[in-house]
Amino acid sequence: MSYHDCSSQELDKNDSIHHMSHSQARPELPPLPVSANEEPSELYETVMSHSFYPPLMQRTSWTLAVPFKEQDCHRGPSDSIGNNYSLTARDMKLKDLLKVYQPVTINVPRDKTSKVSKVSSEPTKKKMKLSLKCKEDAPRMPPACKLSSSAPRKSDRDSWAVQSGSRPMSPEQQMDVMLQEEMEIESKEKKPSELDLERYYYYLTNGIRKDMIAPEDEEVMVRIYKLIPKVLLATPALEPLQVALRSEKERDYYYSLMKSIVDYILMDPMEKKRLFIESIPRLFPHRVIRAPVPWHNVYQSAKKWNEEHLHTVNPMMYNLKELWFAEFKDLRFVRTADLLAGKLPLLPNEYQDVIQKHCQEARQILLSKWIPTCAQLFISQKEHWVRFAPKSDYDSSRNIEEYFASVASFMSLQLRELVIKSLEDLVSFFMIHKDGNDFKEPYQEMDFFTPQLIMIQLEVHEPIIVFNPTFDDCWELIKNSFLEIIKNSDGIPKVESILFPELKGYNLILGTVNPEESLVSDFVNDTFEVFKKNQVGPHKYLNVYRKYEDLLDNTAEQGITEFLNKNHEIEDFVTSINLIKKRRNEIASMHTTVPLAMFCLNALFLNHDLCERAQNLKDRLIQYQVDVNWETNTSICNQYNTIAEKVSEIPANTAELVALIEYLRKSSDVTVFKLRRQLRDASERLEFLMDYADLPHDDIKLNSTLFLWPDQIEDVFENSRNLLLSKRDQAEMDLIKRCSEFESRLEGYGKELETFRKREVMTTEEMKNNVEKLHELSKNLDLALTEFELINKEEELLEKEKSSFPLLQTLMVNKIPYEQLWVTAYEFSIKSEEWMNGLRIRTVIVFIF
């Protein structure tokens, strides 16, 4: 069996089993032999099923749902799709269709300065060709793209209702006409038999698989639920009914689509013949009676004018409105809900960044989604507006200009509505704090529980506390928020900029709100009133810092300087430090963040600054004691160290030994006790510093050394005392030995002196030797006299009885005569020889002369 352009083709015996249902009668396979014990094969069952009920849809195909009749036709899916629109298009192929393209022109305003003669044969307006992208869409909408001047209009198609001079029909007459038309149609159609009904019902229920039908959009169920009261939805007893109704709705949806597909396929006589269905049940006729309208002609004329000039009723306007409400009605330049749900309060720069970010994101949505989507609507639904385009280069473009001017006005109103609602939301955002932030002292944080908007820092600019940013800067920031919304709404292009990219020199920007409009100033003024009410609280809160003004103007610093210039006990320092510590704790316990309606004061840095100032005063007092402690302890340690070094010296002689003994006695009996009194003061100071100061390692080491000195110095004293006593004993023994040796030496000198008594006349040389020996003896006696004095002095140092050594005096006295004798004799001997020799020489000289 063949269909359409495939009628000449014959089916081979080896074709697919899907081709085995083309018999003109209803054949049946012979039954299986009785002897066959196996189950019927799948092929046998399929062929049996297709013999009784030929398939309606293909099981496998390029697309999901393809009628069975398309299987034998050698054409692609795109060509087959035409059959889904009209039976008359089933044999059409894309390659055979004429490529239709018709340029559309639009009026370009001429330069105002140019002058054109009235008798000029040239057109008075320039024309510009605008591509409406009809090439791609020409096969789908040939009537709209051909733009023929002879194209039939809707009013011509309904000419029976608008004929000149026709009179309105009564309801009875309208019913007669409709019944007559129904009878004519019924006479041409055969009434379906029971077999037709049975097969028709079979294909309704089994001819199309459920997966071939697109599921219903989930948004439908959402819209249905919105129409049902929430009370009914929340009632547990009605839940089984909801499940049953949802199942019924789903069944009705799939059944209606299946019935529409089956009815459409059965519109093809060849398919009816293949499926053994001669006729199907007729739909129940829909009869609409229109009341008599004697002004029908006027209505049609007005309707025609409105369709061509009143563009607000154009379907595209409704589509634009639906698009706006479906996707962009909740769009705002500033999402105040996000601000309130986010982290508040914001620092000024954070607030500015958030406002700019929100505005830029909204602008980007308008540029990248709204305008392109609107342009796509115009491209996909050209049939609603392409008729306004000029059909040749010489036709006027006034209609299409007028149409897109209306579109621009409508879209500008939508954009303006978006801006106004954004401004209103921003005003409402600040109106949360319209009651201001004045409070009754003392300040109570729980009085302000609503989220604050902007964070203001409290800082010290000596000698006052200032706000950063200032309230003037805050107001400028808030005011700029309104201007930022308007700025980001400006420059949104019209839809023509995408539809007709070759347009140049036109104002292709949508209108928006002007910053100079009164509604903007009203919004700003309302916000400013709220802003002024919220300035009272921050200034009033500064009163809590009045008692700390001395920390701001350096009065407290001067008081500490005067305190340190006088002598004070440790207890005075403790009292002053505790007072400062108490003030510092008070400051540290103050609010770091102060909620005040619209604003939140950040006092963290101010409190930290005041605490630092109080801490500096405290540190000055403590550091003074640390310095005093260091200097005093260093001095004490130096004294101990000096004593230890002095008493540890090795004496070189008895004088030094006696001096060291005396120094040791004085140090152990006097100096150490004075140092112990200083140690008591140092211990009190150290106890103070342990409570208030963090001493460095060197100070800790110094304090440790200081308090080790008392025990250490005693050990030094003991060692030195033992050493000096040993030295003294040794000195006394040496002194006794020295005296004994001195006595022996004097006795030797006495024996030597006795030798001069027994000497008689000698020669000059012998006399000379005696004189020299006497000189040496005198020198030794002089040295002995000096040593005698030293021995006496050392005995005096050692507190011993002085030795007299009478032999020394005797020797000194006895030495004198012998010395005089032998010296005189020696000199006489020398002189006499000189005299004699001198006389002889003078005699010789005289003789010579």
Side-chain angles (χ1 to χ4, degrees):
M1 184 175 179
S2 60
Y3 304 97
H4 313 309
D5 55 346
C6 305
S7 58
S8 62
Q9 300 179 10
E10 294 182 359
L11 297 177
D12 189 72
K13 295 181 179 180
N14 296 325
D15 281 344
S16 171
I17 59 173
H18 303 298
H19 298 160
M20 303 175 72
S21 60
H22 297 285
S23 59
Q24 295 296 327
R26 286 180 291 151
E28 295 183 4
L29 291 177
L32 291 174
V34 179
S35 61
N37 296 325
E38 296 103 355
E39 293 289 333
S41 66
E42 182 179 357
L43 176 62
Y44 182 85
E45 292 180 351
T46 303
V47 172
M48 286 293 293
S49 173
H50 289 181
S51 298
F52 290 103
Y53 297 104
L56 188 69
M57 309 295 288
Q58 296 184 29
R59 290 189 178 182
T60 57
S61 60
W62 286 102
T63 54
L64 188 61
V66 178
F68 188 88
K69 64 179 182 177
E70 291 294 321
Q71 182 169 284
D72 296 336
C73 301
H74 298 284
R75 55 183 175 227
S78 299
D79 295 327
S80 300
I81 290 173
N83 199 9
N84 292 333
Y85 293 96
S86 173
L87 292 175
T88 58
R90 61 186 177 183
D91 296 329
M92 297 178 66
K93 296 183 179 295
L94 291 178
K95 65 180 181 179
D96 299 331
L97 296 179
L98 177 64
K99 303 296 182 180
V100 180
Y101 171 73
Q102 175 65 41
V104 179
T105 60
I106 188 169
N107 212 20
V108 179
R110 57 182 179 174
D111 192 355
K112 294 182 179 180
T113 58
S114 61
K115 297 181 180 179
V116 182
S117 174
K118 294 182 180 180
V119 297
S120 175
S121 61
E122 294 293 325
T124 59
K125 296 183 180 179
K126 297 180 180 180
K127 308 292 181 179
M128 180 178 293
K129 294 182 179 180
L130 304 176
S131 176
L132 297 178
K133 303 180 182 179
C134 291
K135 287 185 177 181
E136 301 83 12
D137 303 332
R140 295 183 61 180
M141 41 186 305
C145 293
K146 290 181 180 179
L147 299 177
S148 173
S149 59
S150 61
R153 298 186 178 272
K154 184 178 179 181
S155 58
D156 297 335
R157 294 194 300 268
D158 300 334
S159 59
W160 62 273
V162 294
Q163 291 178 354
S164 178
S166 63
R167 296 177 60 82
M169 299 175 65
S170 65
E172 291 78 5
Q173 292 174 332
Q174 295 181 46
M175 284 294 297
D176 293 339
V177 171
M178 288 186 287
L179 290 174
Q180 184 178 358
E181 291 179 354
E182 292 174 8
M183 292 176 63
E184 291 178 359
I185 295 173
E186 187 175 0
S187 63
K188 296 178 182 179
E189 295 181 356
K190 184 179 178 182
K191 188 175 182 180
S193 64
E194 292 185 3
L195 181 61
D196 291 337
L197 293 177
E198 185 271 331
R199 298 185 67 81
Y200 177 69
Y201 179 75
Y202 171 82
Y203 284 112
L204 286 181
T205 55
N206 302 315
I208 302 173
R209 296 198 310 270
K210 189 176 180 180
D211 60 345
M212 293 182 177
I213 300 175
E216 188 178 18
D217 190 358
E218 295 180 357
E219 187 65 23
V220 175
M221 200 64 206
V222 174
R223 292 197 297 267
I224 292 174
Y225 275 125
K226 288 182 179 179
L227 300 175
I228 302 175
K230 294 182 179 180
V231 178
L232 299 179
L233 294 176
T235 304
L238 298 177
E239 191 169 341
L241 180 60
Q242 291 184 33
V243 175
L245 291 176
R246 281 197 298 269
S247 300
E248 181 181 351
K249 177 189 72 67
E250 184 177 359
R251 288 195 303 270
D252 291 344
Y253 170 77
Y254 284 106
Y255 179 80
S256 61
L257 289 181
M258 290 178 182
K259 185 177 185 303
S260 299
I261 295 173
V262 172
D263 290 345
Y264 176 75
I265 292 176
L266 292 178
M267 291 173 64
D268 189 348
M270 300 297 293
E271 282 297 285
K272 280 187 177 181
K273 188 175 181 181
R274 183 178 70 86
L275 300 175
F276 311 111
I277 298 176
E278 294 184 4
S279 62
I280 60 175
R282 289 184 63 244
L283 296 176
F284 188 83
H286 294 277
R287 299 164 184 167
V288 180
I289 298 175
R290 187 178 63 186
V293 281
W295 35 263
H296 182 72
N297 292 342
V298 179
Y299 166 78
Q300 291 293 338
S301 176
K303 179 181 178 182
K304 178 181 178 182
W305 189 93
N306 288 340
E307 288 178 349
E308 294 180 356
H309 300 282
L310 185 61
H311 302 298
T312 56
V313 298
N314 187 271
M316 286 305 301
M317 300 298 181
Y318 175 79
N319 294 337
L320 292 176
K321 182 179 179 181
E322 284 294 309
L323 172 65
W324 181 265
F325 278 96
E327 300 186 24
F328 305 101
K329 68 175 181 179
D330 297 326
L331 179 64
R332 296 292 183 270
F333 279 99
V334 177
R335 303 187 296 275
T336 55
D338 293 351
L339 288 176
L340 291 174
K343 182 181 178 182
L344 289 176
L346 298 172
L347 293 174
N349 58 333
E350 294 177 342
Y351 172 81
Q352 183 177 8
D353 293 343
V354 169
I355 294 297
Q356 291 178 352
K357 179 183 177 183
H358 285 196
C359 291
Q360 291 171 2
E361 289 176 354
R363 178 181 176 85
Q364 190 62 30
I365 291 175
L366 294 176
L367 292 175
S368 62
K369 190 174 181 182
W370 181 48
I371 298 299
T373 305
C374 292
Q376 189 61 37
L377 281 177
F378 279 94
I379 293 174
S380 62
Q381 302 182 25
K382 290 190 180 79
E383 65 275 7
H384 296 314
W385 61 274
V386 76
R387 64 178 181 274
F388 300 115
K391 299 170 180 58
S392 67
D393 292 345
Y394 298 99
D395 291 343
S396 173
S397 61
R398 178 181 177 182
N399 289 341
I400 196 167
E401 288 179 357
E402 185 181 87
Y403 177 78
F404 279 105
S406 298
V407 171
S409 298
F410 183 72
M411 295 180 68
S412 296
L413 290 175
Q414 291 178 327
L415 179 61
R416 182 180 176 87
E417 178 187 9
L418 169 61
V419 174
I420 293 175
K421 287 185 176 181
S422 298
L423 295 175
E424 289 175 348
D425 287 355
L426 190 58
V427 173
S428 302
F429 179 65
F430 291 105
M431 280 294 175
I432 298 174
H433 307 289
K434 62 182 178 180
D435 295 332
N437 54 18
D438 193 8
F439 60 90
K440 183 179 180 181
E441 295 182 319
Y443 170 78
Q444 297 294 330
E445 184 178 14
M446 296 306 297
D447 292 342
F448 302 97
F449 52 87
T450 54
Q452 301 82 50
L453 308 183
I454 299 176
M455 179 75 74
I456 297 180
Q457 304 278 359
L458 292 180
E459 297 179 353
V460 176
H461 285 190
E462 293 183 358
I464 60 174
I465 300 173
V466 298
F467 299 99
N468 183 24
T470 63
F471 282 104
D472 291 338
D473 294 338
C474 289
W475 171 242
E476 194 67 23
L477 188 68
I478 295 173
K479 183 179 178 182
N480 288 338
S481 303
F482 293 91
L483 301 179
E484 187 71 21
I485 293 175
I486 298 174
K487 184 181 77 172
N488 282 274
S489 68
D490 192 18
I492 304 298
K494 295 180 180 179
V495 73
E496 299 97 293
S497 62
I498 298 179
L499 294 175
F500 313 116
E502 56 269 35
L503 280 178
K504 304 293 182 183
Y506 286 85
N507 180 18
L508 299 178
I509 303 300
L510 294 177
T512 183
V513 177
N514 194 315
E516 306 298 328
E517 291 186 30
S518 59
L519 67 92
V520 177
S521 59
D522 291 341
F523 288 148
V524 173
N525 292 336
D526 293 342
T527 306
F528 184 67
E529 293 298 323
V530 178
F531 178 80
K532 286 195 300 183
K533 290 182 179 180
N534 282 271
Q535 293 185 47
V536 179
H539 287 96
K540 195 171 184 179
Y541 183 76
L542 296 183
N543 294 333
V544 301
Y545 291 99
R546 285 181 179 260
K547 60 181 179 179
Y548 306 112
E549 290 179 349
D550 57 335
L551 295 174
L552 300 174
D553 57 11
N554 292 327
T555 303
E557 190 77 21
Q558 296 173 4
I560 294 298
T561 302
E562 295 175 358
F563 178 84
L564 295 178
N565 289 335
K566 300 177 183 179
N567 293 327
H568 293 278
E569 299 294 333
I570 292 294
E571 291 75 9
D572 298 333
F573 279 87
V574 172
T575 302
S576 299
I577 290 174
N578 288 337
L579 289 175
I580 295 174
K581 185 178 180 181
K582 181 179 179 181
R583 296 187 73 190
R584 184 184 180 282
N585 292 338
E586 289 178 358
I587 297 171
S589 63
M590 295 176 67
H591 295 285
T592 56
T593 55
V594 184
L596 287 169
M598 182 184 293
F599 301 108
C600 181
L601 301 182
N602 185 0
L604 177 63
F605 298 105
L606 173 61
N607 294 349
H608 180 72
D609 193 336
L610 294 176
C611 288
E612 285 293 320
R613 291 169 184 260
Q615 184 66 33
N616 291 338
L617 299 179
K618 176 184 172 183
D619 291 344
R620 279 194 64 190
L621 295 175
I622 296 173
Q623 188 61 40
Y624 177 82
Q625 288 296 330
V626 171
D627 295 340
V628 170
N629 183 70
W630 174 266
E631 294 174 1
T632 305
N633 292 355
T634 303
S635 175
I636 296 173
C637 288
N638 289 338
Q639 293 182 57
Y640 274 114
N641 194 47
T642 302
I643 294 172
E645 291 178 354
K646 185 68 176 176
V647 300
S648 299
E649 292 178 357
I650 304 298
N653 49 49
T654 304
E656 291 182 2
L657 176 61
V658 174
L660 278 176
I661 292 173
E662 180 61 25
Y663 181 80
L664 176 60
R665 183 190 63 79
K666 184 178 180 180
S667 297
S668 61
D669 295 343
V670 179
T671 308
V672 170
F673 286 100
K674 291 181 180 179
L675 293 176
R676 286 184 183 275
R677 285 196 294 271
Q678 295 182 20
L679 282 175
R680 284 196 295 270
D681 296 337
S683 64
E684 293 179 1
R685 191 165 47 251
L686 179 61
E687 184 178 357
F688 164 81
L689 294 177
M690 292 294 289
D691 292 335
Y692 296 101
D694 294 328
L695 295 176
H697 178 71
D698 292 341
D699 287 39
I700 295 174
K701 185 177 179 181
L702 178 61
N703 288 321
S704 301
T705 304
L706 175 68
F707 291 104
L708 291 175
W709 265 119
D711 295 333
Q712 186 177 351
I713 200 65
E714 291 298 331
D715 295 338
V716 173
F717 284 161
E718 185 65 26
N719 294 333
S720 299
R721 190 177 292 112
N722 294 334
L723 178 62
L724 292 177
L725 289 177
S726 174
K727 290 288 184 181
R728 182 183 176 89
D729 294 341
Q730 184 64 38
E732 289 178 353
M733 295 297 294
D734 292 342
L735 181 59
I736 292 172
K737 183 179 179 181
R738 183 179 179 184
C739 290
S740 176
E741 291 176 353
F742 184 68
E743 186 72 26
S744 299
R745 195 163 57 250
L746 289 179
E747 290 177 356
Y749 292 154
K751 292 178 181 179
E752 186 178 355
L753 186 61
E754 285 294 327
T755 60
F756 287 98
R757 179 182 296 182
K758 298 178 180 180
R759 292 180 182 180
E760 296 179 352
V761 178
M762 298 180 181
T763 63
T764 303
E765 189 63 31
E766 291 176 345
M767 287 188 292
K768 181 181 178 182
N769 290 333
N770 288 337
V771 171
E772 290 178 355
K773 290 180 178 180
L774 283 172
H775 283 169
E776 186 178 354
L777 180 60
S778 296
K779 186 184 294 183
N780 289 334
L781 290 175
D782 290 338
L783 292 175
L785 183 61
T786 302
E787 185 176 357
F788 169 70
E789 292 175 354
L790 292 175
I791 289 173
N792 284 340
K793 185 176 181 180
E794 190 168 346
E795 288 174 340
E796 183 181 358
L797 291 173
L798 294 174
E799 297 178 353
K800 298 293 184 179
E801 185 179 355
K802 293 182 179 181
S803 301
S804 58
F805 297 105
L807 180 59
L808 178 60
Q809 297 296 329
T810 303
L811 291 175
M812 293 295 291
V813 173
N814 293 337
K815 174 186 70 79
I816 295 174
Y818 293 110
E819 188 177 14
Q820 290 176 353
L821 174 62
W822 290 106
V823 170
T824 303
Y826 177 68
E827 289 180 354
F828 175 78
S829 176
I830 295 174
K831 297 295 184 183
S832 64
E833 186 178 352
E834 288 180 356
W835 291 338
M836 294 299 291
N837 291 335
L839 181 58
R840 289 191 189 103
I841 292 172
R842 283 194 300 270
T843 303
V844 174
I845 292 173
V846 170
F847 176 77
I848 293 172
F849 286 101

